[in-house]
Amino acid sequence: EAEVAQSPRYKITEKSQAVAFWCDPISGHATLYWYRQILGQGPELLVQFQDESVVDDSQLPKDRFSAERLKGVDSTLKIQPAELGDSAMYLCASSLQGAKNEQYFGPGTRLTVT
Amino acid sequence: GEDVEQSLFLSVREGDSSVINCTYTDSSSTYLYWYKQEPGAGLQLLTYIFSNMDMKQDQRLTVLLNKKDKHLSLRIADTQTGDSAIYFCATKASSYKLIFGSGTRLLVRP
């Protein structure tokens, strides 16, 4: 069964350092999402891509966060500089194009900023 | 704004039925989802319902939708210890964006 891949699974970094997360969506899925899940809460959308284009990044803290999907396949989410409040689970999801299509999630990257 | 509310915790005995409830505010929600999250893992899609349906059954899972009251529930029949997890309700309107609740932690007692 096809799955969304993410790496690393765990990352510990010091505040003010740069950190990057990688996501490989299910083959053929044109839409890719990055979510942030703070402990005890539901995921919140950070950025949505349709192929290589950003569709929604309204909740992305653009002063420190950036995301790219250069060839419309895999994607990287970067934080620079990391802050203590960025400690969370970062989840990637993908779906076929179209509102009715379900989003499938990867295992996530748990970030701890010290 | 859009909001999804869930109770925090539910404890049931193994073999009983579990009912997890969710309320939402966005009346334009077209799809409503239930996801399961086990400790340290991503979210697993369990089932979903389209807004023009009242009920959907899938093996041990039954989803009920009361669109008038904006209330969604997930019933798990014959609950097993492996069902212990956090369950998230999520809604989607025309924006494609999923709005999640804070999750309900289900504990199944042997």
Side-chain angles (χ1 to χ4, degrees), chain A residues 8 23-24 29 34 37 40 47 58 60 63 69-70 76 78 100 103 108-109 113:
Chain A
C23 171
D24 192 13
H29 281 193
W34 283 102
Q37 185 180 21
V47 61
S58 57
L60 188 71
D63 57 335
R69 193 184 184 200
L70 293 175
T76 302
K78 296 178 181 176
K100 75 173 184 67
Q103 295 181 26
T109 296
V113 182

Side-chain angles (χ1 to χ4, degrees), chain A:
Chain A
E1 184 176 301
E3 294 180 341
V4 176
Q6 289 189 249
S7 66
R9 292 294 311 277
Y10 305 92
K11 180 71 178 179
I12 300 174
T13 191
E14 293 182 348
K15 64 179 182 179
S16 80
Q17 296 298 303
V19 63
F21 315 129
W22 177 79
C23 171
D24 192 13
I26 293 172
S27 178
H29 281 193
T31 311
L32 185 147
Y33 313 80
W34 283 102
Y35 288 86
R36 177 170 59 187
Q37 185 180 21
I38 295 169
L39 191 64
Q41 298 181 19
E44 289 187 305
L45 181 69
L46 290 175
V47 61
Q48 176 184 340
F49 288 93
Q50 183 63 42
D51 299 309
E52 65 275 8
S53 300
V54 173
V55 173
D56 183 350
D57 63 356
S58 57
Q59 299 303 310
L60 188 71
K62 297 181 188 64
D63 57 335
R64 298 184 300 108
F65 285 63
S66 64
E68 61 183 17
R69 193 184 184 200
L70 293 175
K71 296 183 180 177
V73 181
D74 58 337
S75 175
T76 302
L77 178 69
K78 296 178 181 176
I79 308 174
Q80 182 173 18
E83 295 181 353
L84 295 177
D86 297 331
S87 294
M89 175 81 92
Y90 291 83
L91 295 162
C92 179
S94 70
S95 71
L96 293 169
Q97 187 173 352
K100 75 173 184 67
N101 292 298
E102 304 85 52
Q103 295 181 26
Y104 294 91
F105 283 77
T109 296
R110 179 163 296 284
L111 173 67
T112 302
V113 182
T114 63

Side-chain angles (χ1 to χ4, degrees), chain A residues 9 37 42 99-101 103 106, chain B residues 31 35 37 40 42 45 88 92 101:
Chain A
R9 292 294 311 277
Q37 185 180 21
K100 75 173 184 67
N101 292 298
Q103 295 181 26
Chain B
Y31 297 92
Y35 282 87
Q37 187 176 37
L45 177 64
F88 289 95
K92 186 198 288 184

Side-chain angles (χ1 to χ4, degrees), chain B residues 36-106:
Chain B
K36 175 184 180 183
Q37 187 176 37
E38 299 189 38
L43 275 71
Q44 174 193 353
L45 177 64
L46 289 177
T47 187
Y48 70 95
I49 190 167
F50 187 49
S51 59
N52 68 354
M53 300 169 64
D54 298 325
M55 186 183 87
K56 180 178 181 182
Q57 189 154 0
D58 184 0
Q59 298 182 336
R60 292 191 298 125
L61 305 179
T62 303
V63 178
L64 295 178
L65 174 61
N66 182 328
K67 201 173 174 184
K68 173 177 167 289
D69 293 339
K70 299 191 191 70
H71 182 268
L72 182 74
S73 68
L74 174 70
R75 178 177 179 270
I76 305 173
D78 186 25
T79 313
Q80 302 297 305
T81 54
D83 294 324
S84 291
I86 301 175
Y87 290 80
F88 289 95
C89 169
T91 64
K92 186 198 288 184
S94 59
S95 68
Y96 294 34
K97 184 175 174 179
L98 279 176
I99 306 297
F100 285 88
S102 296
T104 299
R105 182 178 295 276
L106 174 64

